[in-house]
């Protein structure tokens, strides 16, 4: 089993990743960077954007739960083991870094 950190940063989409690991990580990154209700044929996909207006402690707790649920639902080959946030919210940014386990035990 591998443990890898994934950040919520937009990047180029690779339409045909050459390894399953790259595909899984790209899918997790896509989940993290997609706002819920923004995907026309799957309005439930992504993370709830209304959390950003909540108090910091509440926002971190809700966002952590949202990330775990979304990854479990949309990329079951990865298992979230930890969510860490960069930024203190004073600058208006709360960036999650998600540690996922991938492998025979992560599926």
């Amino acid at each position: 089993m591998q443990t890898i950190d994934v950040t919520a940063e937009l990047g180029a989409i690779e339409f045909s990743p050459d390894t399953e690991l790259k595909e899984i990580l790209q899918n997790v990154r896509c989940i993290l960077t997609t706002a819920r209700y923004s995907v026309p044929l799957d309005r439930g996909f992504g993370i709830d954007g209304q959390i950003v207006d909540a108090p910091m402690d509440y926002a971190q707790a809700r966002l952590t739960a949202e990330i775990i649920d979304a990854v479990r639902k949309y990329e079951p080959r990865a298992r979230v083991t930890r969510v860490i946030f960069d930024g203190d919210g004073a600058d208006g940014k709360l960036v999650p870094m998600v540690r996922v386990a991938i492998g025979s035990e992560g599926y």
Side-chain angles (χ1 to χ4, degrees):
M1 175 172 45
Q2 283 184 289
T3 303
I4 301 169
D5 294 337
V6 181
T7 58
E9 296 176 356
L10 294 173
I13 295 175
E14 191 174 339
F15 289 101
S16 182
D18 56 355
T19 67
E20 184 177 28
L21 177 62
K22 286 182 181 179
E23 176 184 342
I24 293 168
L25 296 176
Q26 179 171 275
N27 290 346
V28 171
R29 198 169 15 266
C30 182
I31 293 166
L32 296 175
T33 58
T34 302
R36 184 171 296 147
Y37 309 114
S38 67
V39 179
L41 297 177
D42 190 353
R43 296 292 185 189
F45 183 85
I47 306 297
D48 185 2
Q50 294 184 14
I51 295 172
V52 299
D53 292 331
M56 185 58 60
D57 291 340
Y58 178 79
Q60 287 180 342
R62 279 287 313 275
L63 194 53
T64 298
E66 288 270 331
I67 289 168
I68 291 168
D69 289 345
V71 171
R72 183 180 297 138
K73 180 176 181 178
Y74 290 103
E75 186 46 89
R77 297 173 291 180
R79 182 174 48 88
V80 176
T81 60
R82 187 171 185 190
V83 179
I84 304 168
F85 294 95
D86 185 26
D88 58 6
D91 60 356
K93 280 184 117 176
L94 189 60
V95 180
M97 189 281 300
V98 180
R99 184 165 293 154
V100 294
I102 300 170
S104 60
E105 295 175 28
Y107 289 49

